[in-house]
Amino acid sequence: MAGRLSFTVGFLIVASVGLLHGACAASTYTVGDDLGWTVPKNSSYYEEWASQKTFQIGDSIVFNSTTGNHTATEVDTREEYDNCTKMGIIVKVGAGVQKTFDRNATLYYLCSEGTHCEQGQKMIVKVGDLFAVIKLSLQWKIHTPNRAVGDSLD
């Protein structure tokens, strides 16, 4: 009986998370808020900005730049991000360039103009709550007794 109850509770939690995610309206975030997308005074500004947000599939970020020349370059790896590699999808930023997230992922953005990236015009965006799903999965496996296919849930 306890096994069936655990299974039911686990199923309801997973189903509820899925329903709540679908019921929530997508959000649009302006990168850097009022500062926009520019060379920041604090080199960790955009990393801190992005880490304080919870991005989900369907959400969008908008790169706005009103001063200077800037790009929104998406690079593929953490190494390219750390090294400010200026290769990837390069988009010139002006009044607003929007990127809508269509999958759970860790995404790396930087400005490929001059030394802007080296000065901190870069950020890591984590889309989706992969870690919560993994954690829930691990908890479920820990608290669920091993069963063979066809075993009773009693």
Side-chain angles (χ1 to χ4, degrees):
M1 182 66 159
R4 184 174 294 176
L5 180 61
S6 294
F7 176 80
T8 303
V9 169
F11 176 79
L12 289 174
I13 289 171
V14 171
S16 296
V17 168
L19 289 173
L20 287 174
H21 175 69
C24 295
S27 298
T28 300
Y29 300 90
T30 300
V31 175
D33 295 324
D34 291 337
L35 179 63
W37 184 241
T38 189
V39 176
K41 292 181 182 178
N42 170 356
S43 64
S44 62
Y45 177 81
Y46 291 108
E47 288 182 357
E48 291 169 8
W49 177 87
S51 72
Q52 295 169 6
K53 310 293 184 218
T54 303
F55 301 105
Q56 299 296 333
I57 294 172
D59 288 350
S60 299
I61 54 174
V62 177
F63 293 89
N64 279 326
S65 177
T66 56
T67 60
N69 291 322
H70 301 285
T71 66
T73 303
E74 185 176 333
V75 295
D76 294 328
T77 67
R78 176 68 189 242
E79 182 180 9
E80 291 173 338
Y81 173 84
D82 288 340
N83 294 327
C84 291
T85 302
K86 296 169 176 79
M87 295 170 50
I89 299 170
I90 300 173
V91 178
K92 286 280 190 190
V93 176
V97 172
Q98 183 168 326
K99 164 69 176 178
T100 301
F101 304 123
D102 60 0
R103 67 191 183 344
N104 289 331
T106 299
L107 304 169
Y108 306 95
Y109 295 97
L110 54 87
C111 180
S112 61
E113 290 288 332
T115 60
H116 295 185
C117 177
E118 290 82 356
Q119 296 177 65
Q121 193 174 355
K122 62 182 183 173
M123 68 176 180
I124 299 171
V125 174
K126 294 182 180 179
V127 180
D129 199 359
L130 295 172
F131 301 106
V133 171
I134 292 168
K135 183 178 175 184
L136 177 63
S137 175
L138 289 174
Q139 288 174 342
W140 178 249
K141 287 180 182 177
I142 291 169
H143 297 296
T144 302
N146 291 331
R147 297 187 187 277
V149 173
D151 281 355
S152 170
L153 292 176
D154 295 330

